[in-house]
């Protein structure tokens, strides 16, 4: 994807026509526009870093900016600089307040060109008071003036915190939301691109959420997600870009404060639009879509600390059966039945079903975030999205969020994922090929599932070999990050506590050698954590007396298991 701005020939035409005329007809297909790009990459966009699951992320989608184009081909800025010797920034800024709209367009177009990658020009433009002048042109009666004013602003604020703040202080957000109502796709691309750029500044996120969410949802998210009309996504290329910019904006906002997360969850139509777009894209085989990636990242971030931040009345409904059955913790007896017995599993299952009937009926808004149906959506993403690792990482991170903690509902959704959605196989498929970033959310999810699983023996036979494979066994092995190692050992520990099969499989798949290596490695604070986790697991494994002979055959003694 490239980012389009006024063609060079447009600026040259201004000069050759003595700035007296503008041929609008030849201009319609070359307005300012944009897509995501990493900072410093002018021509092509890259995949943005996905947002972390159990921490409010510092990663943002990179900012889109406008780009110079000539007949659809990228041109390096400066190649034609000699053609603009008679224009400078001060005169371009003066043109913005001229009575002739043609001069206003020329001034804005020159600013857009000059500020594409020149940080000193951005600073100079701000000192010349270009920001308030451009904001006043956002809602000019002349469409070309609007397009160029917003295109120039998009470049002025790209990677420039001072200009972003200046735009906001000049009442720019209000004027942008007015402009968004115009029935002009090129203009809407610019406006949503500007919003996306602004949202990368942490200090502006809460204000942006307050001033934009409801209108953006009504004007862009609901209609373009297919939620508001036929139920089918019908986007032309420009609308697809508008929606992509808007979901990028939401993705950045959703990594902000608890207050902003709450506002997003409560915004009428926002969560529904994200769910509908993801669901519809899955149905038509478009799970790799970049807007799907953004939408799933939004859902993941809105699931962060969900049970602590959801309305008390909703939480009370989800926790309602805790007094009777659902609150039993791992290893606790249910009546006279052990947790592994058939009677106990039926007892749990009946309690789950009662609650399902209370929440499954046609979820609306934030109810989607904890509804059982969302587990199926995330599962389908894990299975069908082959190329976009950011999407699958976000889906596993969202699942990790809604299965985390001691709340009863985290256990209900964990058991639903394991028993009805059969989610372990798709998750383990991802583990085999995952990079370190993906392993964090995948192993975090498996850790949660292992806490809440009813049948630890069955889970052990599926996961132990895959997880042991990821652990380092010698100094030369390529080790995953320390938090991934701690997650893996925590999974094994959760299983070993209740399943002799888990302990047996750890021995069979050469896990002892790796665990003792991790236990002895204490050369950093991170390794100290994984060492303590390994020591705890080995101590629990020693409790299985039937395995002592196997331990001794491999050369390990009681002291090796029980020493700290």
């Amino acid at each position: 994807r490239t980012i389009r701005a006024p063609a060079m020939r447009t600026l040259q035409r201004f000069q050759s026509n003595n700035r007296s005329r503008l041929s609008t007809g030849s201009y319609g297909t070359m307005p300012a526009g944009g897509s995501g790009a990493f900072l410093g990459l002018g021509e092509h966009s890259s995949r943005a870093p996905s947002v972390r699951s159990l921490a409010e992320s510092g990663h943002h989608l990179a900012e889109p900016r406008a780009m110079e184009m000539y007949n659809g081909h990228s041109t390096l800025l400066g190649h034609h600089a000699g053609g603009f010797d008679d224009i400078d920034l001060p005169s371009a800024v003066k043109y913005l307040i001229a009575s002739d709209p043609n001069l206003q367009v020329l001034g804005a177009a020159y600013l857009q060109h000059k500020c594409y990658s020149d940080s000193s020009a951005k600073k100079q433009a701000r000192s010349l008071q270009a920001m308030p002048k451009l904001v006043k042109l956002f809602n000019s009666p002349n469409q070309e003036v609007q397009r160029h004013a917003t295109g120039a602003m998009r470049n002025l604020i790209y990677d420039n915190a001072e200009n972003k703040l200046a735009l906001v202080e000049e009442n720019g957000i209000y004027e942008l939301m007015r402009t968004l109502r115009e029935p002009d796709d090129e203009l809407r691309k610019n406006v949503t691109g500007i919003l996306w750029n602004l949202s990368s500044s942490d200090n502006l996120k809460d204000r942006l959420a307050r001033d934009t969410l409801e209108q953006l949802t009504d004007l862009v998210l609901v209609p373009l997600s297919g939620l508001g009309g036929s139920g089918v996504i019908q986007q032309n290329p420009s609308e697809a870009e508008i929606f992509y910019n808007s979901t990028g904006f939401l993705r950045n906002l959703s990594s902000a404060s608890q207050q902003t997360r709450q506002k997003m969850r409560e915004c009428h139509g926002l969560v529904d639009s994200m769910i509908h777009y993801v669901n519809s894209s899955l149905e038509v085989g478009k799970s790799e879509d970049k807007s799907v990636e953004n939408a799933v990242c939004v859902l993941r971030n809105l699931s962060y600390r969900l049970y602590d931040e959801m309305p008390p009345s909703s939480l009370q409904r989800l926790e309602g059966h805790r007094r009777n059955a659902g609150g039993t913790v791992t290893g606790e007896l249910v009546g006279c039945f052990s947790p592994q017995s058939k009677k106990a599993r039926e007892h749990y299952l009946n309690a789950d079903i009662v609650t399902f009937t209370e929440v499954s009926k046609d979820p609306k808004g934030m109810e989607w975030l904890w509804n059982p149906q969302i587990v199926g959506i995330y599962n389908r993403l894990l299975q069908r999205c082959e190329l976009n690792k950011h999407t699958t990482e976000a889906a596993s991170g969202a699942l990790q969020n809604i299965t985390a903690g001691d709340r009863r509902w985290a256990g209900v959704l964990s058991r639903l994922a394991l028993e009805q959605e059969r989610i372990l196989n798709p998750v383990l498929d991802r583990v085999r090929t995952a990079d370190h970033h993906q392993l964090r959310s995948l192993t975090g999810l498996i850790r949660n599932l292992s806490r809440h699983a009813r049948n630890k023996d069955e889970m052990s036979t599926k996961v132990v070999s895959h997880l042991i494979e990821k652990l380092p066994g010698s100094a030369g092995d390529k080790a995953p990050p320390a938090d991934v190692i701690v997650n893996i050992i925590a999974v094994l520990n959760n299983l070993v506590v209740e399943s002799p099969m888990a302990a047996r499989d750890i021995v069979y798949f050469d896990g002892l050698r790796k665990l003792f290596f991790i236990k002895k490695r204490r050369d950093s604070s991170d390794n100290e954590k994984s060492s303590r986790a390994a020591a705890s697991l080995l101590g629990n494994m020693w409790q299985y007396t039937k395995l002592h002979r196997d331990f001794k055959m491999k050369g390990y003694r009681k002291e090796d298991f029980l020493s700290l």
Side-chain angles (χ1 to χ4, degrees), residues 501-520:
M501 291 176 71
R504 184 200 66 190
D505 284 353
I506 289 172
V507 177
Y508 182 80
F509 290 107
D510 196 28
L512 286 179
R513 178 180 64 86
K514 294 186 170 187
L515 289 170
F516 279 113
F517 168 75
I518 293 167
K519 180 181 175 181
K520 290 171 185 172

Side-chain angles (χ1 to χ4, degrees), residues 102-387:
N102 293 328
L103 287 177
Q104 293 175 341
V105 170
L106 173 61
Y110 182 79
L111 277 168
Q112 182 172 336
H113 155 67
K114 194 69 178 167
C115 295
Y116 169 68
S117 59
D118 186 341
S119 56
S120 62
K122 295 176 188 180
K123 186 175 181 180
Q124 186 186 358
R126 184 175 72 251
S127 68
L128 291 168
Q129 296 298 305
M131 307 297 283
K133 295 178 175 65
L134 284 170
V135 169
K136 285 176 182 171
L137 297 181
F138 285 176
N139 288 289
S140 161
N142 184 299
Q143 185 184 70
E144 291 302 323
V145 172
Q146 288 182 289
R147 288 182 176 185
H148 287 86
T150 50
M153 184 62 77
R154 194 166 177 177
N155 282 358
L156 270 163
I157 67 170
Y158 175 78
D159 198 21
N160 191 301
E162 292 85 359
N163 284 357
K164 288 174 185 171
L165 189 59
L167 168 60
V168 171
E169 288 175 346
E170 293 296 339
N171 204 29
I173 297 176
Y174 173 77
E175 294 298 332
L176 284 169
M177 300 318 291
R178 277 184 63 203
T179 313
L180 193 61
R181 297 182 178 277
E182 296 285 336
D184 174 27
D185 283 350
E186 302 303 333
L187 197 53
R188 285 156 62 91
K189 279 195 281 192
N190 275 350
V191 171
T192 52
I194 290 171
L195 291 175
W196 186 358
N197 283 359
L198 289 171
S199 68
S200 65
S201 290
D202 287 337
N203 60 324
L204 298 178
K205 287 179 179 178
D206 289 346
R207 182 167 180 176
L208 285 165
R210 185 191 70 201
D211 294 345
T212 68
L213 283 180
E214 291 178 6
Q215 294 176 76
L216 187 73
T217 301
D218 292 341
L219 295 171
V220 177
L221 301 179
V222 169
L224 295 188
S225 68
L227 183 67
S230 61
V232 180
I233 301 170
Q234 295 175 318
Q235 297 178 350
N236 63 40
S238 289
E239 288 172 334
E241 189 174 321
I242 293 163
F243 191 76
Y244 176 52
N245 290 345
S246 301
T247 53
F249 169 71
L250 294 181
R251 180 173 171 177
N252 281 350
L253 289 193
S254 65
S255 67
S257 63
Q258 174 180 343
Q259 178 186 355
T260 292
R261 282 196 302 275
Q262 285 289 69
K263 191 158 188 66
M264 293 180 73
R265 291 179 190 128
E266 293 166 4
C267 181
H268 181 72
L270 191 153
V271 174
D272 303 85
S273 299
M274 298 297 97
I275 294 285
H276 187 84
Y277 187 83
V278 172
N279 242 336
S280 300
S281 298
L282 279 166
E283 286 172 12
V284 297
K286 290 188 175 178
S287 59
E288 311 290 350
D289 179 84
K290 293 291 286 182
S291 292
V292 169
E293 176 192 323
N294 284 345
V296 180
C297 286
V298 170
L299 295 172
R300 174 209 209 153
N301 289 347
L302 296 186
S303 302
Y304 174 65
R305 302 195 69 226
L306 181 62
Y307 302 120
D308 295 329
E309 297 176 3
M310 67 195 297
S313 58
S314 300
L315 182 63
Q316 189 175 9
R317 196 160 64 246
L318 299 184
E319 299 290 302
H321 296 274
R322 196 179 186 91
R323 289 190 303 275
N324 303 326
T328 54
V329 296
T330 301
E332 188 179 329
L333 295 183
V334 184
C336 56
F337 305 114
S338 74
Q340 296 288 81
S341 72
K342 183 178 178 184
K343 290 272 189 184
R345 290 201 297 273
E346 288 174 358
H347 185 79
Y348 279 118
L349 188 60
N350 290 336
D352 289 353
I353 290 170
V354 171
T355 312
F356 277 14
T357 60
E358 293 175 8
V359 298
S360 299
K361 300 169 186 173
D362 193 23
K364 291 276 190 295
M366 78 170 86
E367 293 171 358
W368 269 109
L369 297 173
W370 61 80
N371 191 277
Q373 294 176 53
I374 195 121
V375 179
I377 294 174
Y378 295 143
N379 190 17
R380 292 205 304 280
L381 285 165
L382 287 174
Q383 293 184 49
R384 297 182 192 177
C385 189
E386 296 292 336
L387 302 174

Side-chain angles (χ1 to χ4, degrees), residues 330 340 450 456-457 459-460 463-464 468 488-507 512 515 536-544 547 551 561:
T330 301
Q340 296 288 81
S450 68
K456 300 285 200 291
D457 286 343
M459 187 168 182
S460 298
V463 307
V464 169
I468 292 288
I488 290 174
I489 295 174
V491 173
L492 298 175
N493 206 29
N494 287 340
L495 297 175
V496 162
V497 166
E498 290 187 33
S499 170
M501 291 176 71
R504 184 200 66 190
D505 284 353
I506 289 172
V507 177
L512 286 179
L515 289 170
S536 175
L537 171 56
L538 288 165
N540 286 331
M541 287 186 67
W542 182 255
Q543 306 309 312
Y544 289 104
L547 292 175
F551 297 159
F561 283 87

Side-chain angles (χ1 to χ4, degrees), residues 439-450:
L439 276 176
R440 284 191 174 91
S441 57
L442 289 165
T443 56
L445 169 59
I446 299 171
R447 181 176 181 173
N448 293 345
L449 297 177
S450 68

